Amino acid sequence: MSGSWFPVPLTALVGLTVAMLAAGCTAVPSSSFDPDSPSPAASDIPVVVTASAVTATPLATASPQVTQAPAMTPAPTVAGIDAPPEALLAAEGGDPVMGQLGTYIWMNGGSDAPWLRGAPINVGAGEPLSVTFLPGIDVASWRTRYVPAASDGETGGASLGEGAGPPAFLAPAIGSWTVAVTVTFLQDAGDANYYWRLDVQ
């Protein structure tokens, strides 16, 4: 039957095409592997990182802020209310000088103080001196004593006078002296010691 043409079924042609495609996608034969070719570097090998391999780093926790309460500042004393009044010594026609407050008892309180050298003031020998108070408070009695300015206490001191009402006395002889004036106030308000250093010329 040579020279005769036989029609090929369509299903046979499709099978043949599939077989040819499969043959073209086969792996490279082992004979084509070159053992002398260099191995790929580690950095060229892709690394797959899964979500489970990532460890989250916790955020730093800020330390709690500790706020300290402000230091308490004692309230200032008010002369004539919670402390004795201020005492001002002056010569006639001169500027008054506020004395240093020493030991005192006032109302329901008080304070102890050491011997004080006194606030400096220049006066003349025998010059009349007077003490006034701020605020003005009535005085029951007063007394004075003086010692050399370098003394550490009133031991051996001499009196410059005493009396009732506002203190008034004469300056001592030429020299440098510490004068202490002790005042007792009316209405049992208390008593206080005031100090000046008199530079008498």
Side-chain angles (χ1 to χ4, degrees), residues 10-164:
L10 180 59
T11 55
L13 289 175
V14 173
L16 179 60
T17 302
V18 173
M20 293 176 66
L21 291 175
C25 295
T26 57
V28 178
S30 60
S31 60
S32 63
F33 176 74
D34 186 1
D36 296 328
S37 62
S39 300
S43 60
D44 295 334
I45 300 175
V47 178
V48 178
V49 179
T50 62
S52 60
V54 179
T55 303
T57 301
L59 296 176
T61 303
S63 300
Q65 296 293 329
V66 178
T67 303
Q68 294 182 350
M72 298 298 293
T73 302
T77 57
V78 179
I81 297 179
D82 51 9
E86 296 175 348
L88 304 174
L89 176 68
E92 289 185 353
D95 294 330
V97 175
M98 185 170 63
Q100 291 181 330
L101 177 61
T103 299
Y104 68 85
I105 296 173
W106 185 256
M107 301 300 180
N108 296 322
S111 175
D112 289 329
W115 176 261
L116 302 174
R117 300 291 172 85
I121 180 173
N122 296 319
V123 297
E127 191 172 8
L129 305 176
S130 61
V131 179
T132 56
F133 299 95
L134 290 177
I137 296 178
D138 292 334
V139 174
S141 63
W142 58 272
R143 61 185 179 89
T144 62
R145 58 198 183 282
Y146 74 103
V147 295
S151 300
D152 293 327
E154 61 180 305
T155 302
S159 173
L160 284 176
E162 57 184 70

Side-chain angles (χ1 to χ4, degrees), residues 172-177 198-201:
I174 294 175
S176 186
W177 313 95
L198 269 58
D199 293 322
V200 184
Q201 301 173 352

